[in-house]
Amino acid sequence: MKCILFALAAVFFCPLTPAAEKFSEVSREPAALFASNDTLEISIQANWKNLNSLEKGKGSETGTINHGQEKTQVVLSPRGEVRRELCQELPPFRIDLPKDNKSTLFAGLHSELKFVTHCKTNSAEINKEIGYVLAEYAQYRFLQAAGFAMLKVRLANVTYLNPDGSIFSKGYGFFLESKKDLEKRLRS
């Protein structure tokens, strides 16, 4: 727990190094999703039981990401190798965005994102799992603050909803920029 708190403190209270400032000068404006470090409050509605039963690369589920009044139709598919085995209740997933996302939170992004979840829906284990998510998120942020060209991340407090609107799970997760967006950002 001390390690998680230290990592979070380092991310939020560490000033940018000259290398990070120089890098940010040459990088393009961030996409709307990554323009802020504030925690997003969102819900994602999908058929989680079906998504969890899919094999990687074999199938997908339609879903909706709700952010305030904005609703974005997306396609979700399971991803990862090791995490898929560890996160059988709520595995990480890929989000395929609609082609016309110009007026949404996802404006300026390539057609896909990754999303890291807290893995477990069991309330006895959820706090430990959320700690892992926050620690991984903090590592990305720390390396960005240190000036490394890293994938951008955005923390989200998520309510996972079933198709009927009932709550499947709640917890923290984060969006992870696609490699194509990182390449585009570094080349501009």
Side-chain angles (χ1 to χ4, degrees), residues 6-14 137-142 145:
F6 174 76
L8 287 173
V11 167
F12 295 108
F13 300 111
C14 178
Y137 168 77
Q139 290 171 1
Y140 278 100
R141 294 273 310 175
F142 180 77

Side-chain angles (χ1 to χ4, degrees), residues 45-133:
Q45 189 168 9
N47 190 328
W48 298 104
K49 293 197 186 295
N50 283 355
L51 182 66
N52 296 348
S53 68
L54 296 172
E55 291 182 40
K56 181 184 173 198
K58 297 185 179 178
S60 59
E61 279 292 323
T62 58
T64 306
I65 298 178
N66 305 301
H67 175 251
Q69 299 298 316
E70 181 181 300
K71 294 179 185 293
T72 306
Q73 297 295 316
V74 295
V75 176
L76 308 173
S77 53
R79 68 172 191 85
E81 297 291 331
V82 174
R83 270 208 188 144
R84 276 294 281 155
E85 291 185 26
L86 297 173
C87 303
Q88 293 179 1
E89 295 173 40
L90 187 61
F93 51 89
R94 191 180 79 216
I95 301 170
D96 291 320
L97 300 168
K99 292 186 194 294
D100 182 24
N101 62 14
K102 291 181 181 138
S103 61
T104 72
L105 177 65
F106 305 107
L109 292 174
H110 190 262
S111 61
E112 68 181 51
L113 288 168
K114 291 180 179 178
F115 194 81
V116 177
T117 67
H118 57 79
C119 293
K120 304 282 186 187
T121 58
N122 178 337
S123 61
E125 297 178 19
I126 202 163
N127 288 336
K128 179 173 78 169
E129 295 296 326
I130 289 173
Y132 295 148
V133 168

Side-chain angles (χ1 to χ4, degrees), residues 134-167:
L134 294 175
E136 184 177 351
Y137 168 77
Q139 290 171 1
Y140 278 100
R141 294 273 310 175
F142 180 77
L143 290 170
Q144 287 172 356
F148 292 94
M150 297 294 299
L151 297 171
K152 289 191 174 281
V153 292
R154 178 81 182 267
L155 188 64
N157 189 10
V158 186
T159 302
Y160 300 91
L161 300 172
N162 289 310
D164 65 3
S166 63
I167 295 175

